[in-house]
């Protein structure tokens, strides 16, 4: 994916005074890294929303500061209003495209589990994100975990089970970290399944008679 671009300008308004910016439809933000002194910036909220919808948190955005330079960045921290869902502040992490960074990547579960579909098991999604180490342009948008291997109540998938051969990133963390598992249905659920089976058999016998 090619880098998207955001045009921003340096921000003089700091502290609680940024509320005025927000009322004007502007988004306060900052660019920083361990090699870049923090730069307070502002940009139209609509422009950020449009770009972020395409980029997400793990694609590089070229943030161009008026009168200064352009910084390749990833969205590191979003401050979102808990009620309205409106973005209130963004921390852009300036990255070196030739140096690997650690990023949190969401997990997407794909496939169908036999233990769930045929045995009535319950899918336990233990973690929803994993940290990966990769060059900024190689950070995946998502990690796909195939749950079709979960065939019985003892099945589970851990970090060490992931097939990462040929991938341009490394998953960080303990290889024993549990990602997803199967729990047997409760006795109440089993009873409901049994009762349903009895009713179906009864209906079939009635039809025959």
């Amino acid at each position: 994916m090619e880098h998207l671009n955001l045009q921003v300008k340096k921000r003089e308004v700091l502290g609680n005074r940024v509320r005025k910016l927000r009322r004007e439809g502007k988004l306060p933000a900052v660019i920083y890294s361990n090699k870049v002194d923090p730069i307070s910036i502002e940009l139209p909220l609509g422009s950020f929303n449009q770009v972020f919808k395409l980029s997400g948190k793990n694609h590089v955005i070229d943030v161009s500061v008026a009168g200064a330079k352009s910084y390749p960045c990833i969205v590191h921290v979003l401050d979102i209003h808990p009620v309205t869902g409106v973005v209130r502040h963004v921390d852009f992490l300036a990255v070196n495209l030739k140096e690997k960074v650690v990023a949190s990547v969401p997990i997407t579960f794909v496939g169908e589990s036999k233990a769930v579909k045929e045995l009535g098991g319950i899918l336990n999604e233990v973690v929803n994100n994993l940290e990966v180490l990769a060059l900024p342009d190689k950070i995946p948008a998502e990690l796909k975990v195939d749950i079709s291997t979960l065939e019985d109540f003892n099945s589970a998938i851990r970090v060490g089970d992931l097939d990462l051969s040929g991938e341009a990133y490394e998953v960080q963390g303990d290889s024993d970290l549990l990602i997803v598992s199967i729990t047997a249905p409760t006795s109440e659920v089993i009873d409901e399944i049994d009762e349903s089976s009895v009713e179906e058999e009864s209906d079939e016998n009635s039809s025959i008679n």
Side-chain angles (χ1 to χ4, degrees), residues 82-101:
V83 177
T84 64
V86 174
V87 179
R88 299 187 296 190
H89 190 278
V90 181
D91 288 0
F92 290 101
L93 176 65
V95 295
N96 184 330
L97 299 179
K98 296 181 180 180
E99 293 182 1
K100 292 183 178 181
V101 296

Side-chain angles (χ1 to χ4, degrees), residues 7-12 26 40-43 64-66:
Q7 301 292 328
V8 306
K9 67 178 183 178
K10 289 186 177 181
R11 172 166 52 92
E12 303 298 333
K26 298 175 182 177
S40 297
I41 59 173
E42 62 181 76
L43 67 155
S64 300
V65 182

Side-chain angles (χ1 to χ4, degrees), residues 76-128:
H76 192 234
V77 179
L78 280 179
D79 178 11
I80 300 176
H81 193 286
V83 177
T84 64
V86 174
V87 179
R88 299 187 296 190
H89 190 278
V90 181
D91 288 0
F92 290 101
L93 176 65
V95 295
N96 184 330
L97 299 179
K98 296 181 180 180
E99 293 182 1
K100 292 183 178 181
V101 296
V102 175
S104 178
V105 178
I107 293 172
T108 299
F109 294 103
V110 298
E112 192 171 55
S113 167
K114 176 181 178 181
V116 173
K117 182 179 180 181
E118 300 181 10
L119 305 179
I122 300 169
L123 188 71
N124 297 314
E125 300 176 9
V126 182
V127 294
N128 297 313

Side-chain angles (χ1 to χ4, degrees), residues 72-201:
C73 298
I74 56 175
V75 174
H76 192 234
V77 179
L78 280 179
D79 178 11
I80 300 176
H81 193 286
V83 177
T84 64
V86 174
V87 179
R88 299 187 296 190
H89 190 278
V90 181
D91 288 0
F92 290 101
L93 176 65
V95 295
N96 184 330
L97 299 179
K98 296 181 180 180
E99 293 182 1
K100 292 183 178 181
V101 296
V102 175
S104 178
V105 178
I107 293 172
T108 299
F109 294 103
V110 298
E112 192 171 55
S113 167
K114 176 181 178 181
V116 173
K117 182 179 180 181
E118 300 181 10
L119 305 179
I122 300 169
L123 188 71
N124 297 314
E125 300 176 9
V126 182
V127 294
N128 297 313
N129 296 270
L130 287 173
E131 290 191 335
V132 305
L133 177 67
L135 292 173
D137 282 327
K138 299 297 183 181
I139 301 172
E142 61 182 358
L143 294 175
K144 293 184 178 181
V145 176
D146 185 2
I147 61 172
S148 63
T149 59
L150 303 177
E151 298 184 346
D152 54 51
F153 300 147
N154 295 317
S155 299
I157 298 175
R158 302 178 185 276
V159 167
D161 298 322
L162 299 178
D163 182 8
L164 302 178
S165 56
E167 300 292 355
Y169 58 84
E170 304 170 29
V171 174
Q172 303 294 283
D174 193 331
S175 62
D176 288 331
L177 177 65
L178 184 62
I179 297 174
V180 62
S181 63
I182 298 292
T183 299
T186 62
S187 57
E188 289 81 1
V189 174
I190 293 175
D191 290 342
E192 290 179 3
I193 294 174
D194 291 341
E195 290 177 3
S196 175
S197 299
V198 171
E199 290 176 358
E200 290 178 0
E201 290 179 2

